[in-house]
Amino acid sequence: MTTWREFATTAPLISALFLRRHAAAKNLCLLATTRSDGYPRISPIEPRVFEDRLWLVGMPGTTKFKDLQRDPRFCLHTATVDTEVTEGDVKVWGIVTDVRDGAVRARWLQSLYEETEIDFRDENFDTFFAADLTGASAVEVRDGHMDVHIWKPGQQEYTVRKH
C-alpha cells in the first residue's frame, strides 16, 4: 500500500493536479464505493491530506462509510463541471483503513478546526479512514492533444499522449 507522501514522490504531476483540482472545487470530490448489493455508489466527500496521508472522514453513520467498512476499496474523482477538461481531471483509487488511534484523530480534528473553523473536536466518529493508494490517473487537454498520466505503486508516473 502507498501513502499520500509516497504517491506524491513517485507521481508529482498527478498529485499536484489532484491538489489543484481539489482546491478549485472547494475540496469536493466524488467517492465511488461498492454497495451491499454489488452495485456502485457515488457520493460527495471532502477528503483531506493530513500528516502525509489521504483521509476520507465525514458525517458518522453515512452509507458510504458503511460501504467502506464492508469493502475497503474506493475510487476518488476530482469534481469537475468542465466538459472540455481544460483544468485537468484526476482519479485515485485504493483501500482504506479505519484508524482507531485517538491521538491521530484529535490532531486531524484540531487541524480541520484551525483550517476551516468547523469544530467537530467533540464529535465521536464511528469511522476514520486513511487511504492507501493502489493507482491513479489524470487527464490534461491542451495544445490539440490529450495527455493521460498514469501511476501504479512501485513505478514512476508516465504519460500517454493521444491526438
Side-chain angles (χ1 to χ4, degrees):
M1 298 301 166
T2 305
T3 66
W4 184 266
R5 171 186 248 171
E6 295 161 336
F7 165 63
T9 300
T10 57
L13 191 148
I14 298 173
S15 61
L17 185 55
F18 178 93
L19 293 175
R20 188 176 79 231
R21 292 299 314 132
H22 181 249
K26 297 184 170 89
N27 302 333
L28 179 66
C29 287
L30 298 175
L31 175 69
T33 59
T34 303
R35 298 173 6 161
S36 61
D37 61 8
Y39 285 94
R41 181 185 319 276
I42 303 293
S43 306
I45 192 168
E46 296 176 30
R48 299 184 73 229
V49 175
F50 173 75
E51 293 187 355
D52 298 325
R53 301 208 62 191
L54 177 64
W55 294 86
L56 306 180
V57 178
M59 290 176 23
T62 60
T63 309
K64 62 188 162 201
F65 295 126
K66 290 177 185 173
D67 290 345
L68 290 171
Q69 284 177 304
R70 186 181 50 262
D71 182 343
R73 298 174 297 166
F74 73 92
C75 183
L76 190 63
H77 183 253
T78 54
T80 183
V81 295
D82 178 12
T83 59
E84 299 294 319
V85 197
T86 56
E87 298 298 317
D89 179 78
V90 181
K91 291 179 246 0
V92 298
W93 53 93
I95 296 173
V96 296
T97 302
D98 191 5
V99 175
R100 292 288 171 193
D101 184 327
V104 171
R105 287 180 175 212
R107 288 193 310 272
W108 190 95
L109 291 166
Q110 181 64 34
S111 173
L112 176 70
Y113 175 69
E114 290 170 3
E115 290 176 23
T116 67
E117 296 186 7
I118 297 171
D119 194 358
F120 289 125
R121 293 174 294 177
D122 293 329
E123 294 290 324
N124 184 21
F125 287 83
D126 48 353
T127 59
F128 222 81
F129 291 121
D132 289 305
L133 302 180
T134 59
S137 65
V139 172
E140 291 185 290
V141 177
R142 64 182 123 151
D143 302 327
H145 63 269
M146 179 173 69
D147 286 340
V148 180
H149 311 291
I150 302 163
W151 171 82
K152 297 175 185 173
Q155 300 178 12
Q156 294 290 316
E157 66 189 350
Y158 63 93
T159 301
V160 176
R161 178 159 286 175
K162 300 191 178 220
H163 295 279

